[in-house]
Amino acid sequence: MTAVDHPRTGATASASAPPAKPARSGKSLALALIAGAAGAAVVLLASGRTWARATAVVAQGELPQTASGQDVTGVPGALAIVGLAALVALFAVRGAGRTAVAALLALSGLGTVVGAYLGISDTGALREKAATATGLSDAGVQDVSHTFWPWAAVVGGLLLLVAGVLALLYGRRWPAMSGRYERAGASPRGPRRRTAADPDRPEEMWKSLDRGEDPTR
């Protein structure tokens, strides 16, 4: 007789190994949510802060002028709102719709980065404010300085872009809003089957007594 070896050990190890795709999908989902929400929050916060300072020269002296992110450019703040809406909408759609929304999220992040970067050294808003304050259309500004808030908006836009790229790469495997209410492999509900009553249950015994029957028989 010859002994036949069965490679049971290798089969058991491979069968017990956990799937890598669900874990990777969960990590990408968590990272996209954190990056997208944090990015939009940073951009909206930065847009309301002071981006530049200067002084307007007038005959009576100097007038200090400041320009916020919204004064310089409204693009980053508007695109941050669009990106945040797209991040939420990702879980309301599936398939091609999710891909389109993910692309919108990525484009919102990219547009935010470009808009914020162009506003880093912008002095147009300061000149407009100086002209309004002095009543002179050609009023000049001096001692111009810029804060770090435009750079913060750039970082926020990059986070939105990262969230969009993650959604494009892994979004098809993410669950939708209604996914938790649907059981995997569940068949459509049919009419409920009536199970046979157990005569030993207390409620069945009381029902028998109400009907005038002897439950002990």
Side-chain angles (χ1 to χ4, degrees):
M1 294 180 65
T2 58
V4 180
D5 294 332
H6 297 280
R8 300 177 62 89
T9 305
T12 304
S14 61
S16 62
K21 285 186 177 180
R24 186 182 306 172
S25 176
K27 289 181 180 179
S28 63
L29 171 59
L31 183 58
L33 285 175
I34 295 173
V42 169
V43 174
L44 292 174
L45 175 64
S47 296
R49 303 296 178 175
T50 299
W51 283 24
R53 295 186 178 91
T55 54
V57 181
V58 293
Q60 295 81 7
E62 299 177 347
L63 293 176
Q65 302 294 323
T66 60
S68 67
Q70 290 292 341
D71 295 329
V72 175
T73 173
V75 172
L79 289 180
I81 295 175
V82 173
L84 190 60
L87 183 65
V88 175
L90 278 174
F91 304 97
V93 293
R94 298 173 185 260
R98 178 169 290 183
T99 302
V101 175
L104 177 62
L105 175 59
L107 290 175
S108 299
L110 180 60
T112 300
V113 171
V114 174
Y117 183 78
L118 292 177
I120 289 175
S121 58
D122 183 85
T123 58
L126 289 172
R127 295 181 185 278
E128 290 180 4
K129 286 201 163 189
T132 302
T134 61
L136 302 173
S137 58
D138 58 346
V141 291
Q142 62 183 14
D143 300 329
V144 178
S145 62
H146 296 85
T147 66
F148 71 94
W149 287 111
W151 290 106
V154 171
V155 173
L158 288 174
L159 290 174
L160 283 171
L161 179 59
V162 168
V165 172
L166 288 172
L168 285 172
L169 293 177
Y170 305 103
R172 287 183 176 271
R173 297 199 290 266
W174 294 349
M177 281 183 178
S178 60
R180 62 176 179 172
Y181 301 106
E182 298 173 359
R183 290 181 299 175
S187 58
R189 271 188 189 174
R192 292 185 177 179
R193 295 180 180 178
R194 291 190 65 181
T195 57
D198 185 359
D200 294 331
R201 296 177 63 183
E203 58 267 25
E204 295 299 329
M205 296 177 66
W206 281 110
K207 289 179 182 178
S208 298
L209 289 172
D210 289 338
R211 293 193 297 266
E213 300 174 359
D214 185 1
T216 60
R217 289 188 297 177

